[in-house]
Each structure stands twice: as structure tokens, then as C-alpha cells.
Amino acid sequence: MFYKKSKYSLFAIISILTILSTTQADASSFKPTLKQPQSINTKIIALNQEAKAEFERGVKLYKEGDLKLAEVAFRKAIELDSEFAEAYANLGSLLANQNNLSEAISQFENAVRLRPELAVLHYQLGVALYLENKRPEALVSLTKARDLLKEQGKTEDAEKVEKAIERIQAES
């Protein structure tokens, strides 16, 4: 079975991946689009410095193992900037690690809605849905993650996701 032996330890890996892959640039580029000139993104960053600071505090606390305060910091970042996808994603990972999958799914869905171009968010949502026994929905998210990875030229990662998809399909 897909991740059966240690399915919840998978979220520890995902959490670390999210935190490590969320660079300072990602954390501060809240919702850029291809149509926005760079100067607009700079304004957005300047307007959301308090949210960014809370997010970074949450990452630091998470790394230190203080999950309660990390959760508070991620929630505060979201309160300050409701379009901060990375904060939703990290909150989702933290909640999943605490076996609160239904709320984690909600947080991942918010992150995907805000940053649909990020394959890792679709992947996280897909894994959480799978762990909640929502296989059809999980396959949709994982397929989107795979497709985005292929588009970005990350074929090795796309192949790993494809193998996960195949394992889930074999279970049905």
C-alpha cells in the first residue's frame, strides 16, 4: 500500500520540503503573476512585511520543534495576509503532522487556490487527500503536480509522482 508503513512520517518530509523550498523570495512574493511588473511585486512585499516576519518566525519555531508557537505564527501570517500561500502550506504540513488531516487539507486547498503553479502544493494536497481515503481527489491533485513538474522540466520528480499515482490506481 502507498506509504502504508509510515504514512504520517511522510508529512514530516513534506513539511521539511515545504520549509526548505520556501525561500526568502518565495515567502515574500505573495501572489505574483506573469502580467505583474516587478515594481508591483515590490509594493506587495512592502505592504506585507509583518506577515512575512510572522511566517519566518513560524519557520524558525518549527525548526526548533515548537509546533504550537509555529502554528500560531503561521495563523498570524495568514491573518495579516490572507493571500500568503506559503503560510497556508506550512500550516497544512504542521497540521498534517499532528494528524489533523481535514484541516490540513483545507489549508493545502487555500495554498493551491492562491499559487496553482506550484507543483509541491498540489502534491501536498494529494498526499493529504490520499491519507484521508479520498483517492479520486488525491489522484487529481497528484496528476496536476506531475504535469506541472513535467512542464518545469523536473522529469525525475515527475516520474516519482507518477509512480505514486500508479500505486494508488493499483489499490482501487
Side-chain angles (χ1 to χ4, degrees), residues 32-141:
T33 65
L34 296 176
K35 296 178 183 176
Q36 291 177 323
Q38 186 63 26
S39 62
I40 292 175
N41 288 338
T42 304
K43 286 182 180 180
I44 292 170
I45 293 167
L47 294 173
N48 294 292
Q49 288 302 313
E50 194 176 347
K52 179 183 173 189
E54 283 298 319
F55 174 83
E56 290 172 351
R57 188 171 78 84
V59 170
K60 179 179 179 282
L61 289 164
Y62 184 89
K63 287 179 181 178
E64 292 171 355
D66 193 340
L67 301 183
K68 292 253 187 232
L69 287 179
E71 180 179 343
V72 169
F74 290 136
R75 288 186 188 279
K76 182 68 174 175
I78 292 166
E79 179 184 318
L80 293 166
D81 184 345
S82 64
E83 294 191 11
F84 198 164
E86 293 81 2
Y88 285 108
N90 281 1
L91 178 58
S93 293
L94 191 147
L95 293 166
N97 277 324
Q98 296 172 347
N99 200 25
N100 185 350
L101 291 172
S102 61
E103 188 178 355
I105 289 168
S106 175
Q107 300 303 328
F108 290 138
E109 287 172 337
N110 285 328
V112 165
R113 177 180 50 80
L114 294 166
R115 297 287 303 268
E117 76 281 4
L118 294 181
V120 68
L121 301 179
H122 292 278
Y123 179 77
Q124 289 176 309
L125 175 58
V127 172
L129 288 164
Y130 171 79
L131 294 173
E132 278 284 284
N133 294 314
K134 296 180 178 181
R135 287 188 178 94
E137 297 94 332
L139 287 170
V140 170
S141 291

Side-chain angles (χ1 to χ4, degrees), residues 13-23 26 59 63 90:
I13 295 166
I14 291 172
S15 297
I16 292 167
L17 174 66
T18 302
I19 289 169
L20 294 179
S21 68
T22 305
T23 62
D26 284 336
V59 170
K63 287 179 181 178
N90 281 1

